[in-house]
């Protein structure tokens, strides 16, 4: 499916569907009001009504904010894809353009890789029309790049753990690097051992796949700042010997979503020619069971030299990130350091399934990033650190424990665990994003459909763009 911004009204024909957004108020004065009323259409948010005779799809919105438009547009796309129309036309303006691009590209996304018979949609072209395309074209191109980078992330998250394992993840990163002119360095287990990344290596020990550290770099001509993006890349999280119950294990292919998001972010940054140097560091590991598995009671020596008592092998993401964060701080002196991880079920308990947890030491940075998230249409919630929760990570045998002694505030104690590996000079530059809830869904919401959502990609793309203005 192609999406194009065009000047003139697309020729009316039986092959082309016009899509019209309207509020309840607008409905009352519309020339088709009688017919729409008869069809039971009330212009409520996320509802649509086809008038086939007029080749028009009416879409209800509670207001004309981008959030409302994007959501209804996503509902509309699902309806349009099942029709026989070859094209659809949306009138856009400066406020709705980005939301409609997202509704079309993200709401119209479907993952069919593993379906033997792919239902092909007849829809070939989506036209966005406006008189002033010269003014809107840059905005349009940017929105398409970011939405497609989000779908790129979704595609990887949705791959099965058999297809997407640490070595194939590294291959995929290499391919992206080649296509987008990025530098790429991969560390295998030999190099990880030389780097003393014993914490990360322990998590992957029972897997039949070698663990990999992936480092990608996007370098513009004269970068204005340096940003490090660190991703949890658990290609499967069985829980290890602290095995997950059967129902909790399902969907744990998505435990690589943080890593997949960082790939989407660097893809977008390079295509938008962002003026920041961007580094991605991914710890790609599979957490499995077996005679060779790491165990509760083990004490691991991390790359930083700090020792960690393993009390639960299912709290593995923080063990991988401890080493990757430490490595990233030696590799580059970044102005911003953001990590993305499906780290805790507790984050979902705290904030719900739709919201990304934001943790860090700089209120200003947390505020700025949440602002970018809002503009990008992503939900974030700040989870505050405090010294009392920090004491819950004390260990009787090692420097710290990988699980807190009390279950409450589990997302924050996980964030505080990571904080142990952030050096003093970097504390204010760092933010930890817990995307356990927001990265994956089995029921559609907003512009998200079944599977990976690409959480984080739109937010960070917006943050990186925000320096330009
Ligand atoms: N990958 C999980 C967290 C998770 C849970 C992500 C549900 C998405 C959906 C993580 O590795 C994990 O298992 N965390 C444990 C930590 C606990 C053992 C301290 C959890 O959340 O239960
Ligand atoms: Zn786990
Ligand atoms: Zn995990």
């Amino acid at each position: 499916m192609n999406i194009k911004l065009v000047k003139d009204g697309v020729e009316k024909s039986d092959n082309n569907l016009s899509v019209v957004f309207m509020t309840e108020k607008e409905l009352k004065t519309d020339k088709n009001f009688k017919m729409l009323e008869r069809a039971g259409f009330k212009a409520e948010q996320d509802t649509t009504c086809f008038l086939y005779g007029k080749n028009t799809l009416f879409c209800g919105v509670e207001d004309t904010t981008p959030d409302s438009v994007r959501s209804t547009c996503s509902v509309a796309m699902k309806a349009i894809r099942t029709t026989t129309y070859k094209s659809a036309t949306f009138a856009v303006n400066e406020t709705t353009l980005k939301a409609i691009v997202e509704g079309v590209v993200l709401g119209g996304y479907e993952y069919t890789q593993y379906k033997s018979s792919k239902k092909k949609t007849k829809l070939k072209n989506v036209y966005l029309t406006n008189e002033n395309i010269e003014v809107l074209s840059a905005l349009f191109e940017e929105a398409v790049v970011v939405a497609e980078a989000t779908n790129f992330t979704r595609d990887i998250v949705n791959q099965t753990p058999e297809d997407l394992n640490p070595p194939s993840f590294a291959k995929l990163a290499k391919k992206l690097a080649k296509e987008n002119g990025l530098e790429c360095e991969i560390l295998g287990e030999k190099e990880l051992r030389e780097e003393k990344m014993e914490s990360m290596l322990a998590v992957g020990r029972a897997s039949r796949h070698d663990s990999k550290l992936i480092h990608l770099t996007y370098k513009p001509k004269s970068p204005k700042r340096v940003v490090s993006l660190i991703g949890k890349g658990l290609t499967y999280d069985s829980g290890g010997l602290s095995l997950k119950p059967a129902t909790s294990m399902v969907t744990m292919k998505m435990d690589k979503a943080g890593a997949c998001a960082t790939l989407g972010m660097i893809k977008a940054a390079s295509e938008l020619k962002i003026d920041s140097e961007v580094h991605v560091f991914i710890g790609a590991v599979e957490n499995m069971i077996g005679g060779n598995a790491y165990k509760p009671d083990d004490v691991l020596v991390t790359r930083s030299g700090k020792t960690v008592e393993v009390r639960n092998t299912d709290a593995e993401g923080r063990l991988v990130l401890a080493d990757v964060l430490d490595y990233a701080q030696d590799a580059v002196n970044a102005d911003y350091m953001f990590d993305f991880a499906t780290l805790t079920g507790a984050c979902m308990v705290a904030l719900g399934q739709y919201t990304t947890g934001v943790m860090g030491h700089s209120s200003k940075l947390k505020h700025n990033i949440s602002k970018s998230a809002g503009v990008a249409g992503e939900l974030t919630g700040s989870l505050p650190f405090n010294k009392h929760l920090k004491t819950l990570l004390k260990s009787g045998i090692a420097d710290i424990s990988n699980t807190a002694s009390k279950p409450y505030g589990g997302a924050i104690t996980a964030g505080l665990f990571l904080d142990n590996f952030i050096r003093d000079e970097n504390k204010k530059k760092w933010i930890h994003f817990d995307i356990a809830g927001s990265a994956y869904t089995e029921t559609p919401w907003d512009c998200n459909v079944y599977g990976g959502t690409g959480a984080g990609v739109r937010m960070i793309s917006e943050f990186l763009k925000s320096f330009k203005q």
Side-chain angles (χ1 to χ4, degrees):
M1 187 199 71
N2 303 305
I3 181 164
K4 287 184 196 129
L5 181 66
V6 294
K7 199 172 194 117
D8 300 308
V10 178
E11 207 186 316
K12 291 222 182 314
S13 86
D14 281 350
N15 285 327
N16 181 63
L17 178 72
S18 294
V19 186
V20 176
F21 293 90
M22 60 172 60
T23 59
E24 263 178 69
K25 208 170 142 205
E26 285 163 342
L27 169 65
K28 302 242 159 72
T29 55
D30 193 87
K31 61 178 192 292
N32 298 302
F33 174 62
K34 279 246 152 67
M35 224 182 287
L36 288 165
E37 195 185 34
R38 265 230 313 261
F41 183 62
K42 296 197 180 72
E44 282 164 354
Q45 176 67 35
D46 293 347
T47 63
T48 58
C49 181
F50 259 120
L51 289 187
Y52 292 96
K54 292 190 175 292
N55 291 321
T56 305
L57 178 67
F58 294 86
C59 307
V61 280
E62 62 194 10
D63 50 44
T64 49
T65 59
D67 285 348
S68 300
V69 171
R70 182 180 57 250
S71 182
T72 294
C73 184
S74 304
V75 173
M77 277 307 288
K78 283 183 205 95
I80 299 168
R81 286 174 63 91
T82 62
T83 68
T84 55
Y85 288 98
K86 293 201 176 101
S87 65
T89 305
F90 298 70
V92 296
N93 59 39
E94 213 169 328
T95 31
T96 61
L97 174 68
K98 186 157 80 76
I100 292 180
V101 169
E102 289 163 351
V104 169
V105 179
L106 299 173
Y109 173 85
E110 201 183 358
Y111 188 71
T112 56
Q113 181 74 24
Y114 299 108
K115 297 272 189 196
S116 60
S117 64
K118 308 198 195 312
K119 289 179 273 158
K120 273 264 163 68
T121 170
K122 295 270 186 310
L123 189 71
K124 291 277 171 304
N125 292 303
V126 170
Y127 300 108
L128 310 191
T129 61
N130 186 284
E131 284 301 303
N132 272 325
I133 56 171
E134 295 79 12
V135 182
L136 295 183
S137 71
L139 207 66
F140 170 75
E141 302 293 342
E142 275 182 12
V144 172
V145 163
V146 176
E148 283 177 352
T150 305
N151 280 348
F152 168 82
T153 293
R154 290 172 169 186
D155 279 343
I156 327 172
V157 173
N158 290 336
Q159 282 189 46
T160 62
E162 198 52 30
D163 287 347
L164 209 283
N165 48 56
S168 66
F169 206 165
K171 235 188 230 166
L172 191 146
K174 261 192 204 158
K175 183 167 171 269
L176 174 68
K178 201 165 168 210
E179 285 166 1
N180 282 41
L182 314 171
E183 291 169 28
C184 175
E185 194 187 359
I186 311 284
L187 274 65
E189 292 200 347
K190 183 170 161 279
E191 290 89 2
L192 292 173
R193 225 163 275 125
E194 283 163 10
E195 284 288 337
K196 299 194 164 51
M197 298 176 73
E198 294 298 335
S199 181
M200 171 167 164
L201 280 165
V203 174
R205 213 164 59 203
S207 167
R208 65 186 223 275
H209 305 291
D210 271 5
S211 299
K212 303 278 181 189
L213 186 143
I214 301 163
H215 177 193
L216 296 182
T217 311
Y218 158 68
K219 261 196 193 136
K221 276 234 164 67
S222 9
K224 302 275 191 315
R225 64 199 74 75
V226 181
V227 181
S228 279
L229 307 170
I230 295 103
K232 170 178 172 182
L234 263 289
T235 61
Y236 202 68
D237 180 12
S238 69
L241 289 179
S242 315
L243 196 64
K244 283 185 184 293
T247 49
S248 311
M249 208 184 294
V250 183
T251 73
M252 276 305 134
K253 66 170 185 181
M254 60 77 99
D255 215 17
K256 58 187 184 288
C260 300
T262 60
L263 282 191
M265 291 166 197
I266 200 166
K267 177 174 157 58
S270 60
E271 289 169 15
L272 295 171
K273 300 193 169 56
I274 289 290
D275 60 358
S276 302
E277 180 173 314
V278 180
H279 291 263
V280 158
F281 298 92
I282 290 171
V285 184
E286 189 184 51
N287 187 19
M288 298 299 281
I289 56 169
N292 192 26
Y294 83 123
K295 300 175 264 302
D297 283 351
D298 276 345
V299 171
L300 308 175
V301 184
T302 63
R303 185 179 185 277
S304 72
K306 280 198 182 167
T307 57
V308 181
E309 175 192 1
V310 178
R311 292 183 72 88
N312 190 319
T313 61
D314 198 12
E316 83 302 331
R318 60 195 80 182
L319 297 173
V320 173
L321 286 175
D323 277 349
V324 180
L325 284 167
D326 191 67
Y327 180 88
Q329 289 169 94
D330 274 335
V332 281
N333 183 15
D335 300 296
Y336 298 97
M337 217 168 87
F338 301 144
D339 78 72
F340 301 86
T342 46
L343 206 61
T344 65
C347 189
M348 272 184 274
V349 177
L351 295 172
Q353 197 211 320
Y354 314 110
T355 303
T356 295
V358 179
M359 284 157 260
H361 298 284
S362 163
S363 307
K364 190 173 159 208
L365 186 54
K366 281 193 283 183
H367 172 81
N368 287 344
I369 203 92
S370 298
K371 213 167 115 192
S372 294
V375 174
E378 288 198 45
L379 297 172
T380 55
S382 178
L383 296 170
F385 287 157
N386 68 58
K387 62 181 180 191
H388 307 291
L389 286 171
K390 198 173 174 89
T391 62
L392 302 182
L393 291 166
K394 279 191 181 146
S395 162
I397 189 166
D399 297 341
I400 45 169
S401 164
N402 83 328
T403 50
S405 55
K406 287 192 177 122
Y408 310 113
I412 303 177
T413 49
L416 285 167
F417 178 93
L418 299 181
D419 177 49
N420 278 282
F421 301 91
I422 306 296
R423 301 177 195 162
D424 286 342
E425 64 273 24
N426 295 328
K427 293 274 189 212
K428 296 250 176 204
K429 303 173 180 175
W430 168 66
I431 288 193
H432 159 56
F433 294 92
D434 194 329
I435 56 170
S438 54
Y440 196 84
T441 184
E442 293 192 296
T443 45
W445 61 278
D446 194 341
C447 58
N448 302 305
V449 298
Y450 180 93
T453 63
V457 177
R458 284 184 290 148
M459 167 177 67
I460 294 302
S461 301
E462 186 57 44
F463 180 77
L464 293 172
K465 279 194 307 175
S466 69
F467 291 105
K468 270 200 200 159
Q469 288 135 21

